[in-house]
Amino acid sequence: MCTGKCSLFVAISLYPLVLLSILCNILLFFPDWSTKAAKEGHITDEVKYMGGFIGGGVLALIPALYIHLTGEQGCCANRFGMFFSIIFAAVGAAGAVYSFIVALLGFSNGPLCKTLFGKWEQPFADKDLKHLKDYNSWTECIEPKNVVQFNMGLFITLMVASVLQALLCASQVINGLVGCICGTCNDKQEA
């Protein structure tokens, strides 16, 4: 078994997840598909933490690029390169964990919206996730329109993407350890 092929698979699998995380984070700045909330500063702190852009994006893209290079080297028995892929994969996993935590907080606290009382607040922040089951409570948010569903969908997508990124990075750590210990190629490929 060649660990370089596994590295290539991990890197190529990370690219769409990185793109998805960045896209979700950017879209969270524009609830109701308008720039009004972003211009007026009516965005939750969880969106401003940019977990999808920083954690699931940049901190996962840099390892993906290095892991991709490691995988493209083919049958070179480069144990040093595989060792560095472990470090980069750990950084990617840390970024995925950061993205997951921020998305989980954003999901549980709910969106910042204009309530029936005319105040901009997070009406679901202290309600122990009851708003997830009671969709009638979503009418507390009158502006931006459908912001609860918008935020829930994007934060769930970020959580799923970050879990997949963490699993891929963890598999690269294992792959890198195998590559360091056993070399990246079997005897048949070296000949």
Side-chain angles (χ1 to χ4, degrees):
M1 178 187 136
C2 187
T3 58
K5 288 180 183 177
C6 185
S7 295
L8 199 57
F9 172 78
V10 167
I12 291 172
S13 300
L14 279 172
Y15 292 137
L17 295 172
V18 166
L19 182 64
L20 181 66
S21 294
I22 291 171
L23 184 64
C24 284
N25 204 131
I26 290 170
L27 289 176
L28 281 166
F29 278 98
F30 306 107
D32 199 21
W33 304 104
S34 71
T35 59
K36 183 180 177 186
K39 285 180 183 176
E40 295 175 357
H42 299 303
I43 303 293
T44 62
D45 287 338
E46 292 84 6
V47 175
K48 293 176 188 174
Y49 295 155
M50 297 182 63
F53 186 80
I54 295 171
V58 175
L59 289 177
L61 179 62
I62 294 170
L65 292 171
Y66 183 81
I67 293 167
H68 191 157
L69 291 174
T70 302
E72 280 188 341
Q73 290 176 0
C75 191
C76 62
N78 186 354
R79 290 187 169 120
F80 192 67
M82 290 307 284
F83 173 73
F84 272 120
S85 78
I86 296 170
I87 295 170
F88 278 98
V91 169
V97 168
Y98 173 72
S99 178
F100 182 83
I101 290 171
V102 170
L104 183 63
L105 288 172
F107 181 72
S108 64
N109 290 337
L112 179 67
C113 61
K114 190 174 189 178
T115 61
L116 298 169
F117 305 111
K119 277 178 60 178
W120 284 91
E121 60 184 347
Q122 285 182 285
F124 311 116
D126 298 323
K127 295 194 177 173
D128 299 328
L129 302 175
K130 290 178 184 168
H131 69 283
L132 300 177
K133 295 177 187 173
D134 183 18
Y135 64 89
N136 291 325
S137 67
W138 298 351
T139 57
E140 289 182 38
C141 289
I142 57 172
E143 189 181 325
K145 188 178 179 185
N146 297 323
V147 70
V148 177
Q149 298 93 313
F150 187 82
N151 274 25
M152 284 175 58
L154 291 172
F155 279 127
I156 287 172
T157 305
L158 272 174
M159 286 189 283
V160 170
S162 62
V163 165
L164 292 174
Q165 286 174 334
L167 289 173
L168 285 168
C169 288
S171 69
Q172 179 57 31
V173 168
I174 295 167
N175 178 48
L177 285 171
V178 170
C180 281
I181 295 168
C182 303
T184 59
C185 303
N186 60 23
D187 293 335
K188 192 186 284 184
Q189 289 175 325
E190 286 178 5

